[in-house]
C-alpha cells in the first residue's frame, strides 16, 4: 500500500491573543486518501477554516505533523511550500478571490504562470477549462461583470489550472444563491468522479450530503468522522515539472509583473504622477545642466580655437592682478631674440601699448596703438587684406609706418582706402602700409581704432620705455603647446634669474573652462541628486501604501502558487517602472527645455549626449530598485493566511 495522500498526526493550532494562548485546533489525527470527497462541517468558529489553511499549506501548525505523500511539510521552506501549493492544490474561496482588474481567462492563467507553463499552453488550458465550466462566452469579462455563480466557476477553473489534484473549497457555496450553489456542487461532484480529491468546508448539511465522507468539527476537535469510503475511480495525479522549469518562466513572470505594475499605475494615475514628479525634476535638472555645461564649454572652446590654439602670451608679474606687474621691467629685447632662436617656435612678437590720439585731416579718434614686430600678424593669425605687413627692415629702421585693422579704421578714414594715407599718432605722422582683418576672438571688442607700429618706433618715438608689456609667441605646428610653454618658462626663468613673469595660453584657458564647467556640473548634480533621493523616498512611500492596499491580492497570489520571489519581483518591477517612467519623462522634459532654450537664446546651445541620457535611465532604475526593495520585501514576507484574511 502506498503512502496516503494526506496524513495529520496530532496536528494543532494555537494563536497568541494578547497575553494568553488560544487553542483553535486541538491535537487531531486525520488520514485522507487520494480521490476522496470530504465535507468538513461545524458551527461557525469551530476551526474549519483553520484546518483548511493548514491542509493547503497556507498556514503552519503549532504542533504535530503534516505529511503530504509521506513527506513532512515541517521540513519544507517557503519556496518548497509555494511549489506544493502551486502544483498540487487548488483553492476555492467563499468570496471567489479573483483579481478584479484581470478578465476571467487571465485569472485562470495565474497559477499556470507561476507553474512555468508556456503562454500558448496556459491560454489553451484556460480556454478549455472555461469552456468546460460553461463560461466560454465570458472569458474576457472582468469579475465585476460576472455574477457570483459565474465568478465561482472562474475560481474553480483557476483551481484546476495546474491540474487541481487536491481541491480545497472553503464555503464555496456560502455566498451563492441556491441555484448557483447547486451548479457549483454539481461541478465539484463531477470533478470528484474524474478523480480529483475534494475537501470542502461548509456549515450547510445539504451541501455536505454530496460528499462521501463528513467530518464534524466542534470547538477545534473532531466530533464525528463518517469514515472513508473506497472510491472506485482512478485518482488524478499531478506530476510537477522538474525543478528546472520552462525557459519561458522568467520572461513570463516579468511580463506578468510588468502588466500588474501598469494596472496599478493606471489605477492611481494622479498618485503615480505625483510620485514620479521628484524623479522627473531631478533627472530633468541633471540632464539639462549637463547639456548646458557641455554647450557652454563647446562655445568657449570654439572661440578660443578661433583665436589660435597654439599661441602663448607672456606677461610680467605673478599672475592677473599682481600689483607689481607695472614695475617689472625685465621682458626685453634680449628675451625676444632668445625666443626667436628657439626651433620649436614659429614666431615671437613683443607688444608694447601706447596710448595715442589718432587724427586724420580734421577728424580725431581714440586709438589703440601697439608696438609689435614683423612676426605679430603671423603669431595672431591675422590675414592681410590689402597693402603689406610690417617687415624686418621697418623694425630696424624704426619706420613710422602702420598696419591697421580693417574693421575699426573706417571710423577714422570713412570709406577711403587706408593704404598710403598718413595719419597723426599723437604728434608723429605715420603712413598706413597695410590693412589686416582679425578673427574676433575672445574678450570685448574695443571701440578704438587698432593700429600696429614697429615696436622700435613706438619705443623710441612715442614713449620712452625699454621693456615690453607683453610677449606673444606661436608654437610650431606639430609641437605640443604645453611642452613648448614649459620650455619657454624654463628659458626665461634662466635668463631673468627668477620667475617674474607668467604665461597664458589657450590651452590653459581651455583647462580652466573645463575645470569650471566640471565644478558647476558637479555642484548642480549634487543638488539634483538630493531631489532624486527625495523622489526615491516618494516612490518608497507610495510602494509601501500599495503593498498595504494590495495585501489581499498578494495573499491570493500566494495561495495559487506564487513564490516569495514572485511577489518581490512584482513590486520591485513596479517601483522600477515608476522611477524609469519618471526618468523618461525627465529626459523628455529636459529635451523640451533644450528646444525652448534654442529658440530663446542663440549664443549657447544645449548639447545632449546619449551617455547622459542613458545615465539618467540607469540612475532612475537604480532608484527604483533601491527604494522599492524594502516595500517589495515587506510584500514578499507577508504570511499568506494573514494576507488573505485582510479586507
Ligand atoms: P470557522 O472557519 O470554522 O468559522 P475559523 O477556523 O475561521 O472558524 O476560526 C476558529 C477560531 O479561531 C475562531 O474562534 C477564531 O476567532 C479563531 N481565530 C482564527 N484566526 C485567528 C487568528 N489569526 N488569531 C486569533 N484567533 C483566530
Ligand atoms: Mg471559516
Amino acid at each position: 500500500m502506498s503512502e496516503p495522500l494526506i496524513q495529520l498526526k496530532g496536528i494543532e493550532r494555537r494563536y497568541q491573543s494578547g497575553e494568553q494562548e488560544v487553542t483553535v485546533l486541538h491535537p487531531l489525527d486525520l488520514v485522507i486518501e487520494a480521490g476522496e470527497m470530504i465535507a468538513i462541517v461545524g458551527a461557525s468558529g469551530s476551526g474549519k477554516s483553520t484546518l483548511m489553511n493548514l491542509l493547503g499549506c497556507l498556514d503552519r501548525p503549532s504542533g504535530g505533523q503534516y505529511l503530504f505523500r509521506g513527506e513532512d511539510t515541517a521540513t519544507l521552506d517557503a519556496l518548497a511550500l509555494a511549489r506544493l501549493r502551486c502544483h498540487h492544490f487548488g483553492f476555492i474561496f467563499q468570496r471567489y478571490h479573483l483579481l478584479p482588474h484581470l478578465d476571467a481567462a487571465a485569472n485562470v492563467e495565474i497559477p499556470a504562470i507561476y507553474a512555468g507553463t508556456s503562454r500558448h499552453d496556459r491560454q489553451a488550458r484556460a480556454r478549455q477549462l472555461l469552456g468546460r465550466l460553461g463560461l466560454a462566452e465570458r472569458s474576457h469579462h472582468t469579475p465585476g461583470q460576472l455574477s457570483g455563480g459565474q465568478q465561482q466557476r472562474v475560481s474553480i477553473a483557476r483551481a484546476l489550472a495546474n491540474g487541481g489534484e487536491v481541491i480545497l473549497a472553503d464555503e464555496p457555496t456560502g455566498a451563492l444563491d441556491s441555484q448557483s450553489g447547486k451548479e457549483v456542487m454539481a461541478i465539484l461532484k463531477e470533478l470528484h468522479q474524474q478523480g480529483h480529491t475534494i475537501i470542502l468546508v461548509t456549515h450547510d448539511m445539504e451541501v455536505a450530503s454530496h460528499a462521501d465522507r463528513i467530518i464534524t468539527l466542534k470547538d477545534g476537535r473532531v466530533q464525528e468522522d463518517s469514515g472513508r469510503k473506497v472510491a472506485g475511480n482512478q485518482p488524478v495525479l499531478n506530476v510537477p515539472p522538474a525543478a528546472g522549469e520552462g525557459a519561458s518562466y522568467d520572461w513570463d513572470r516579468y511580463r506578468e509583473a510588468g502588466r500588474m505594475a501598469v494596472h496599478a499605475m493606471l489605477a492611481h494615475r494622479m498618485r503615480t504622477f505625483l510620485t514620479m514628479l521628484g524623479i522627473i525634476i531631478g533627472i530633468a535638472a541633471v540632464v539639462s545642466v549637463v547639456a548646458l555645461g557641455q554647450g557652454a564649454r563647446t562655445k568657449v572652446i570654439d572661440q578660443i580655437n578661433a583665436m589660435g590654439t597654439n599661441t602663448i602670451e607672456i606677461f610680467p608679474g605673478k599672475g592677473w592682478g599682481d600689483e607689481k606687474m607695472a614695475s617689472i621691467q625685465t621682458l626685453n629685447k634680449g628675451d625676444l631674440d632668445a625666443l626667436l632662436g628657439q626651433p620649436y617656435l614659429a614666431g615671437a612678437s613683443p607688444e608694447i601699448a601706447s596710448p595715442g590720439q589718432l587724427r586724420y585731416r580734421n577728424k580725431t579718434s581714440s586709438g589703440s596703438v601697439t608696438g609689435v614686430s614683423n612676426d605679430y600678424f603671423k603669431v595672431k593669425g591675422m590675414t592681410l587684406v590689402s597693402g603689406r605687413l610690417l617687415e624686418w627692415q621697418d623694425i630696424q629702421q624704426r619706420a613710422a609706418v602702420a598696419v591697421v585693422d580693417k574693421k575699426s579704421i573706417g571710423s577714422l578714414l570713412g570709406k577711403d582706402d587706408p593704404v598710403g594715407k598718413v595719419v597723426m599718432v599723437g604728434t608723429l605722422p605715420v603712413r598706413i602700409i597695410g590693412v589686416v582683418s582679425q578673427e574676433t576672438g575672445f574678450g570685448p571688442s574695443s571701440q578704438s581704432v587698432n593700429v600696429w607700429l614697429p615696436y622700435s618706433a613706438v619705443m623710441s618715438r612715442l614713449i620712452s620705455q625699454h621693456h615690453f608689456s607683453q610677449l606673444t609667441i606661436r608654437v610650431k605646428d606639430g609641437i605640443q603647446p604645453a611642452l613648448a610653454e614649459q620650455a619657454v618658462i624654463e628659458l626665461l626663468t634662466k635668463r631673468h634669474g627668477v620667475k617674474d613673469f607668467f604665461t597664458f595660453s589657450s590651452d590653459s584657458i581651455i583647462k580652466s573652462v573645463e575645470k569650471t564647467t566640471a565644478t558647476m556640473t558637479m555642484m548642480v548634480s549634487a543638488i539634483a541628486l538630493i531631489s532624486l533621493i527625495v523622489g526615491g523616498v516618494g516612490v518608497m512611500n507610495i510602494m509601501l501604501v500599495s503593498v498595504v492596499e494590495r495585501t489581499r491580492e498578494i495573499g491570493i497570489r500566494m495561495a495559487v502558487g506564487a513564490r516569495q520571489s514572485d511577489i518581490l519581483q512584482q513590486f520591485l518591477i513596479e517601483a522600477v517602472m515608476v522611477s524609469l517612467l519618471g526618468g523618461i519623462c525627465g529626459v523628455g522634459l529636459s529635451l523640451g527645455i533644450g528646444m525652448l532654450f534654442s529658440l530663446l537664446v542663440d549664443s549657447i546651445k544645449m548639447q545632449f549626449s546619449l551617455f547622459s541620457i542613458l545615465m539618467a535611465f540607469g540612475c532612475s532604475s537604480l532608484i527604483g530598485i533601491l527604494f522599492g526593495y524594502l516595500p517589495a520585501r515587506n510584500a514578499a514576507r507577508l504570511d499568506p493566511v494573514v494576507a488573505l484574511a485582510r479586507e
Side-chain angles (χ1 to χ4, degrees):
M1 174 85 197
S2 63
E3 295 280 359
L5 180 71
I6 286 170
Q7 207 172 355
L8 303 183
K9 293 182 179 168
I11 210 107
E12 57 180 320
R13 185 70 174 97
R14 295 182 297 267
Y15 284 112
Q16 195 68 39
S17 113
E19 290 286 285
Q20 66 196 45
E21 221 180 26
V22 188
T23 304
V24 172
L25 274 185
H26 294 278
L28 81 88
D29 297 310
L30 189 62
V31 175
I32 298 171
E33 294 290 350
E36 281 196 88
M37 179 163 181
I38 300 177
I40 299 171
V41 296
S44 174
S46 55
K48 306 184 294 293
S49 296
T50 306
L51 177 58
M52 202 65 154
N53 290 337
L54 287 174
L55 286 172
C57 295
L58 288 172
D59 195 10
R60 284 179 187 269
S62 316
Q65 253 191 331
Y66 172 10
L67 307 179
F68 187 85
R69 286 228 172 84
E71 190 175 14
D72 188 353
T73 58
T75 63
L76 301 179
D77 60 7
L79 177 63
L81 287 176
R83 277 182 66 86
L84 196 64
R85 286 197 294 269
C86 183
H87 295 290
H88 298 281
F89 293 111
F91 286 91
I92 300 169
F93 302 96
Q94 178 175 4
R95 298 242 160 241
Y96 335 123
H97 281 349
L98 298 175
L99 297 186
H101 41 262
L102 297 182
D103 67 18
N107 264 294
V108 175
E109 278 182 53
I110 293 175
I113 291 171
Y114 293 131
T117 314
S118 78
R119 194 169 138 77
H120 176 267
D121 289 356
R122 58 173 205 256
Q123 281 177 344
R125 176 123 180 109
R127 245 195 326 273
Q128 180 225 333
L129 285 170
L130 286 173
R132 190 166 130 196
L133 294 171
L135 289 168
E137 308 286 292
R138 298 275 185 275
S139 63
H140 294 300
H141 289 211
T142 55
Q145 298 165 328
L146 297 172
S147 73
Q150 289 169 331
Q151 289 188 58
Q152 196 59 299
R153 278 185 276 157
V154 173
S155 94
I156 294 172
R158 180 177 66 187
L160 294 170
N162 287 339
E165 195 178 345
V166 183
I167 290 184
L168 301 168
D170 192 348
E171 309 255 14
T173 61
L176 300 177
D177 59 85
S178 61
Q179 183 53 36
S180 305
K182 277 199 185 100
E183 282 169 22
V184 165
M185 280 318 296
I187 294 166
L188 289 179
K189 259 195 116 157
E190 196 189 320
L191 289 172
H192 165 54
Q193 269 148 25
Q194 287 162 1
H196 293 269
T197 307
I198 313 264
I199 304 171
L200 72 95
V201 160
T202 182
H203 56 258
D204 183 344
M205 283 316 287
E206 156 69 21
V207 170
S209 67
H210 290 277
D212 298 337
R213 177 181 175 189
I214 298 177
I215 296 170
T216 313
L217 284 187
K218 194 179 179 212
D219 299 332
R221 293 175 212 273
V222 177
Q223 194 186 34
E224 203 187 324
D225 184 347
S226 74
R228 215 177 303 154
K229 276 191 204 147
V230 181
N233 43 25
Q234 185 64 33
V236 169
L237 196 73
N238 187 30
V239 183
E245 241 104 33
S248 63
Y249 183 67
D250 282 335
W251 172 237
D252 268 7
R253 63 176 181 178
Y254 290 142
R255 254 177 54 111
E256 167 75 357
R259 209 165 47 169
M260 290 301 117
V262 171
H263 274 298
M265 276 154 60
L266 289 181
H268 303 283
R269 270 167 248 228
M270 192 61 187
R271 191 169 86 184
T272 308
F273 172 72
L274 291 176
T275 308
M276 287 190 308
L277 207 54
I279 294 186
I280 294 176
I281 293 171
I283 292 287
V286 183
V287 173
S288 302
V289 167
V290 169
L292 197 60
Q294 197 64 26
R297 185 177 157 276
T298 309
K299 160 102 175 161
V300 171
I301 288 173
D302 280 352
Q303 283 178 332
I304 292 166
N305 284 344
M307 219 167 73
T309 48
N310 43 7
T311 62
I312 301 169
E313 298 184 57
I314 304 161
F315 299 93
K318 287 196 178 69
W320 300 116
D322 184 354
E323 284 154 18
K324 294 201 200 84
M325 201 166 171
S327 62
I328 297 172
Q329 311 194 338
T330 47
L331 282 183
N332 57 26
K333 185 152 186 320
D335 293 334
L336 177 64
D337 292 339
L339 288 171
L340 286 171
Q342 298 307 309
Y344 51 85
L345 297 182
S349 169
E351 280 181 45
I352 171 164
S354 154
Q357 187 80 11
L358 299 180
R359 187 155 56 82
Y360 177 69
R361 297 201 177 134
N362 49 13
K363 208 168 174 192
T364 58
S365 165
S366 71
S368 163
V369 179
T370 313
V372 299
S373 78
N374 52 321
D375 271 353
Y376 182 78
F377 307 96
K378 177 172 69 181
V379 166
K380 286 287 188 179
M382 294 180 185
T383 47
L384 183 67
V385 177
S386 63
R388 66 170 179 88
L389 295 173
L390 294 180
E391 276 160 18
W392 180 232
Q393 284 88 333
D394 301 323
I395 312 291
Q396 272 185 321
Q397 293 162 8
R398 303 172 186 181
V401 293
V403 170
V404 296
D405 166 40
K406 183 178 179 232
K407 233 188 201 163
S408 56
I409 194 66
S411 66
L412 185 65
L413 298 191
K415 288 205 167 61
D416 292 1
D417 178 14
V419 179
K421 299 284 179 323
V422 175
V423 294
M424 296 300 290
V425 177
T427 54
L428 181 70
V430 174
R431 177 181 303 278
I432 297 175
I433 55 168
V435 180
V436 292
S437 74
Q438 58 177 337
E439 288 278 352
T440 38
F442 203 40
S445 54
S446 83
Q447 293 299 306
S448 52
V449 180
N450 291 315
V451 180
W452 294 282
L453 274 69
Y455 70 88
S456 49
V458 171
M459 289 167 102
S460 61
R461 300 166 86 165
L462 285 175
I463 50 174
S464 63
Q465 181 181 316
H466 299 285
H467 63 273
F468 303 132
S469 38
Q470 178 184 346
L471 281 165
T472 304
I473 55 183
R474 188 180 189 96
V475 180
K476 268 193 185 147
D477 286 342
I479 291 186
Q480 276 192 22
L483 291 179
E485 191 170 345
Q486 208 50 48
V488 166
I489 291 171
E490 272 168 35
L491 175 77
L492 293 184
T493 308
K494 213 158 149 194
R495 282 183 51 81
H496 295 186
V498 305
K499 186 174 177 294
D500 57 356
F501 61 91
F502 67 95
T503 56
F504 191 69
S505 63
S506 43
D507 233 38
S508 61
I509 303 175
I510 291 176
K511 275 201 193 101
S512 78
V513 166
E514 281 184 340
K515 217 165 127 187
T516 315
T517 43
T519 317
M520 272 286 296
T521 308
M522 280 291 288
M523 268 170 54
V524 179
S525 298
I527 293 167
L529 192 72
I530 294 170
S531 155
L532 285 180
I533 290 172
V534 172
V537 172
V539 170
M540 176 150 74
N541 189 24
I542 234 60
M543 291 307 298
L544 284 169
V545 171
S546 182
V547 168
V548 171
E549 272 182 356
R550 284 148 68 194
T551 301
R552 191 135 66 104
E553 175 194 326
I554 296 164
I556 296 168
R557 286 176 180 276
M558 285 178 159
V560 302
R563 312 154 170 201
Q564 288 188 337
S565 61
D566 291 314
I567 303 295
L568 183 84
Q569 266 180 19
Q570 180 182 334
F571 282 90
L572 215 48
I573 285 177
E574 189 174 325
V576 169
M577 272 176 81
V578 170
S579 331
L580 192 57
L581 198 64
I584 291 170
C585 292
V587 168
L589 179 65
S590 179
L591 291 175
I593 292 173
M595 264 157 67
L596 199 69
F597 190 82
S598 70
L599 289 180
L600 299 178
V601 181
D602 43 26
S603 59
I604 300 180
K605 274 202 178 62
M606 281 169 76
Q607 283 182 339
F608 295 94
S609 70
L610 186 65
F611 176 74
S612 70
I613 290 172
L614 291 181
M615 275 296 285
F617 291 160
C619 253
S620 40
S621 307
L622 194 69
I623 288 169
I625 292 171
L626 284 180
F627 289 94
Y629 183 75
L630 183 75
R633 202 195 54 172
N634 281 358
R637 287 197 177 169
L638 280 173
D639 183 343
V641 190
V642 175
L644 270 174
R646 191 82 59 83
E647 275 309 313

